[in-house]
Amino acid sequence: MNTATLKSSATKSNNLLKPTNLMLAGLVVVLIAPMVAPTYTVTLLNYIGLYALVVLGLVLLTGVGGMTSFGQAAFVGLGAYSTAYLTTTQQLPEWLAFTAGSPWAGLAMGLLLTAAVALFLGAVTLKLSGHYLPLGTIAWGISLYYLFGTMSSMGGHTGVSGLPSLSIFGIELDKGEKIYYLIWAVLAVAILITRNLLNSREGRAIRALKGGQLMAESMGVNTFRSKMVIFLISAIFAAISGWLYAHTQRFVNPTPFGLHMGIDYLFMALIGGVGSVWGALLGAGVLTMLKQWLQDLLPMILGSDGQYETIVFGLLIVVMMQRWPGGLMGLLAKLVPAKYRDHSDLTLNDDAAELPRRELPKAGDLVLEACDVTRKFGGLVANNQMNLQLHAGEILALIGPNGAGKSTMFNQLSSVDTPTEGEVKFMGQSLKGKSSREVAQMGMSRTFQHVKLLPTMTVLENVALGAHMRGSKGVVPAALHLEREEEQRLLKEAKHQLERVGLGDFLYEEAGSLALGQQRILEIARALCADPCVLLLDEPAAGLRFKEKKALADLLTKLRGEGMAILLVEHDMDFVMGLVDRIVVMEFGTKIAEGLPEEIQTNPAVLEAYLGGAE
Ligand code: ADP
Ligand code: MG
């Protein structure tokens, strides 16, 4: 065998690991399972499908969005109890009589009720930070559980039985082997739309929730809305699971909707891999099988009855989180060779139409102005009566020793923070009361001194986040992938900006794998993607090599020529002096000098601040 054939046979065997091939194989297994497996196994598979649907919502909410919920089981209960009520109540109130006890009406009612409850609970709890949010979810998880138990018309804690089976296209789904197909079809659709959603403009905003909220707001993302969206979707997945469960069991009682189950769902997500859509399926599968197996095995080993499996699970979770925080899916993902990582949603179409551009102000127009801005942190005055002006087609540098208050000034200018006194005006408008998101929409874009990007997301997607405001397609088109045309335009813009800053070779790399200097440049590309008229750059040249600095200077000069207003904080004086038009010098929160580079270089107060300060 010569090397060429060796190579091709190696590729062939690797091809089997291609995500699409794995999915096809999975699909075949799912399709034939109920035909060959014993009833008992099919019942287990039904449970796995039902659980996976709930866990999928948790992957979105907790894994991707960073919001831990112990209360998903309660939403499953809402779905189950709604349909149980509609389909088993003998004398429905008059306004519901038209439903004639149809399970489909039960589904509609469950979804409406769940959406209403989720919107209310979300509005109340999603603003909570830290551990208050999980505690909040425990609170409503418990409340709803007790509510189910107190409804005497629903049999209290005993529950109600006699729910009808579902029938679809005239086929009665009265057996496990039949409803199996419905459960798994629903799950497949849910996985598909979740994947679609995550690979979209809305999805990037959702993926920025964990660890990037401040940055995302500065890119014009309404982070609270994104949180609500995934909270609602996860609740709806849970409610649909509850509806299916009710008509599979044909019986409901409160037990499966309590806090205990809420915790189990979280375990499944953790075991499977809370960051991955497939982790939901894997986690639900592994935990359900393991539980069955341990329930049989442990009493045999230990020689007595008892819920030993719960103890074993507890230990398992602790070890799991210590050793493999990415869950089983995280482990499996490492087995897939890098070249087969699925970027098919990111294929670029160079024919996509360009996005419309903002009209830049006339060169020399005043665009950004700080008027007596003071910012105090307790007793510390980080900015003291600061005044500065920035014009279109100008590069202004803000310099000063460490701790002078430059980054604080940036935060005031971009509405990330609010001045204690004084105000900032942008395009003639006061920024009082405006959020950083609104300011971004008005045309200001920025980078951060401490790089803020999403390290596991590709370079291309990180930069596309900058173009968020230039798209408009929402969650539903994204879930159905009906926004591909707009998405192509956004991605093309991101690619264009990346090429412009010299990162065109890194589109599909993980952003976190870039060198720090490149990460700073990535932030500039992201800022440019927003099509701003004002660019605020906090220490853009830090960590760059000589050639990269030169390229950056060229880029900024070009942008200035196009009419962009640029404000930068920078320590590298060689870089600053050769590039900028004017300089403002700060020390101890106060402006100590302002002028042309050559004036600043010889200004006694500045020399004193720099040479006197032991840097
Ligand atoms: P520079 O960017 O010029 O190095 P900063 O604006 O980061 O300076 O900080 C100016 C001063 O304000 C420092 O003394 C810093 O410790 C303080 N400071 C900045 N942000 C905060 C904050 N959120 N809370 C309290 N003190 C702060
Ligand atoms: Mg700083």
Side-chain angles (χ1 to χ4, degrees), residues 293-294 296-304 308:
W293 187 61
L294 288 176
D296 296 342
L297 191 75
L298 288 176
M300 270 192 329
I301 298 175
L302 299 168
S304 65
Y308 297 112

Side-chain angles (χ1 to χ4, degrees), residues 75-89 92 96 98-115 163-164 166 236 239-244 246-247:
F75 290 129
V76 183
L78 277 181
Y81 266 93
S82 298
T83 199
Y85 170 77
L86 263 196
T87 54
T88 60
T89 307
L92 283 171
L96 282 174
F98 75 97
T99 64
S102 147
W104 300 100
L107 175 63
M109 178 166 142
L111 291 181
L112 283 176
L113 197 63
T114 304
L163 272 75
L166 295 175
I236 282 178
I240 295 176
S241 171
W243 174 74
L244 285 166
H247 292 287

Side-chain angles (χ1 to χ4, degrees), residues 200 204-205 207-208 211-212 215-216 219 221 346 451-468 490-491 494-495 497-498 503 506-514 518-519 522-530:
S200 72
R204 284 187 290 274
R207 285 148 77 193
M215 175 272 290
M219 296 298 132
V221 174
L346 294 175
V451 174
K452 292 188 195 304
L453 41 72
L454 302 161
T456 57
M457 204 151 113
T458 60
V459 168
L460 185 69
E461 289 168 291
N462 263 283
V463 171
L465 193 57
H468 185 83
L490 297 176
L491 291 178
K495 179 180 173 218
Q497 297 299 352
L498 276 164
L503 290 177
F506 301 97
L507 302 185
Y508 301 111
E509 307 281 317
E510 284 190 354
S513 71
L514 295 185
Q518 292 174 317
Q519 296 189 0
L522 182 157
E523 285 211 338
I524 297 178
R526 185 178 65 200
L528 287 175
C529 239

Side-chain angles (χ1 to χ4, degrees), residues 407 449 538-539:
S407 293
Q449 178 179 353
D538 202 345
E539 305 203 12

Side-chain angles (χ1 to χ4, degrees), residues 214-279:
L214 189 141
M215 175 272 290
E217 285 278 334
S218 290
M219 296 298 132
V221 174
N222 183 341
T223 52
F224 183 68
R225 182 180 161 278
S226 291
K227 285 185 191 174
M228 274 302 230
V229 163
I230 53 176
F231 190 64
L232 195 60
I233 294 177
S234 69
I236 282 178
F237 282 177
I240 295 176
S241 171
W243 174 74
L244 285 166
Y245 170 86
H247 292 287
T248 307
Q249 288 282 43
R250 322 256 305 258
F251 162 77
V252 294
N253 73 349
T255 316
F257 314 128
L259 190 58
H260 192 282
M261 199 57 211
I263 295 173
D264 270 3
Y265 285 127
L266 261 182
F267 277 2
M268 290 179 198
L270 281 172
I271 287 184
V274 80
S276 138
V277 169
W278 296 108

Side-chain angles (χ1 to χ4, degrees), residues 332-561:
L332 285 181
K334 284 193 194 131
L335 298 180
V336 181
K339 59 178 168 172
Y340 293 129
R341 302 264 158 81
D342 192 8
H343 290 305
S344 52
D345 290 302
L346 294 175
T347 30
L348 292 162
N349 172 10
D350 284 323
D351 299 332
E354 276 186 25
L355 293 168
R357 300 216 163 271
R358 185 191 307 272
E359 206 174 307
L360 292 179
K362 268 206 322 289
D365 280 2
L366 177 65
V367 286
L368 184 63
E369 188 178 20
C371 312
D372 291 325
V373 167
T374 296
R375 178 64 168 110
K376 297 181 183 159
F377 296 111
L380 182 101
V381 187
N383 286 160
N384 188 8
Q385 303 265 316
M386 281 294 298
N387 286 291
L388 60 81
Q389 281 111 25
L390 179 66
H391 305 89
E394 170 185 53
I395 305 182
L396 176 68
L398 187 59
I399 68 170
N402 266 331
K406 305 178 297 288
S407 293
T408 306
M409 192 67 213
F410 259 45
N411 288 342
Q412 314 306 311
L413 290 172
S414 56
S415 265
V416 164
D417 194 14
T418 318
T420 318
E421 285 160 37
E423 66 171 346
V424 175
K425 285 186 192 156
F426 178 39
M427 307 299 280
Q429 277 191 54
S430 169
L431 296 189
K432 268 203 179 125
K434 286 214 171 13
S435 64
S436 58
R437 171 161 44 98
E438 289 166 296
V439 174
Q441 272 154 3
M442 290 165 68
M444 192 188 303
S445 203
R446 64 168 296 179
T447 66
F448 297 88
Q449 178 179 353
H450 304 287
V451 174
K452 292 188 195 304
L453 41 72
L454 302 161
T456 57
M457 204 151 113
T458 60
V459 168
L460 185 69
E461 289 168 291
N462 263 283
V463 171
L465 193 57
H468 185 83
M469 294 173 289
R470 300 169 76 187
S472 61
K473 294 277 193 287
V475 174
V476 175
L480 303 176
H481 263 190
L482 297 175
E483 38 51 289
R484 290 292 94 182
E485 195 188 327
E486 178 184 277
E487 176 71 359
Q488 282 298 327
R489 298 175 75 185
L490 297 176
L491 291 178
K492 184 180 168 188
E493 172 73 5
K495 179 180 173 218
H496 168 68
Q497 297 299 352
L498 276 164
E499 282 168 350
R500 198 173 181 195
V501 301
L503 290 177
D505 291 339
F506 301 97
L507 302 185
Y508 301 111
E509 307 281 317
E510 284 190 354
S513 71
L514 295 185
L516 191 63
Q518 292 174 317
Q519 296 189 0
R520 292 189 176 285
I521 300 292
L522 182 157
E523 285 211 338
I524 297 178
R526 185 178 65 200
L528 287 175
C529 239
D531 188 31
C533 59
V534 171
L535 204 52
L536 304 188
L537 308 175
D538 202 345
E539 305 203 12
L544 294 196
R545 283 180 299 222
F546 180 75
K547 263 178 124 174
E548 293 169 328
K549 279 185 192 168
K550 174 83 178 55
L552 176 61
D554 289 345
L555 173 68
L556 296 183
T557 309
K558 185 161 172 291
L559 290 170
R560 167 174 61 189

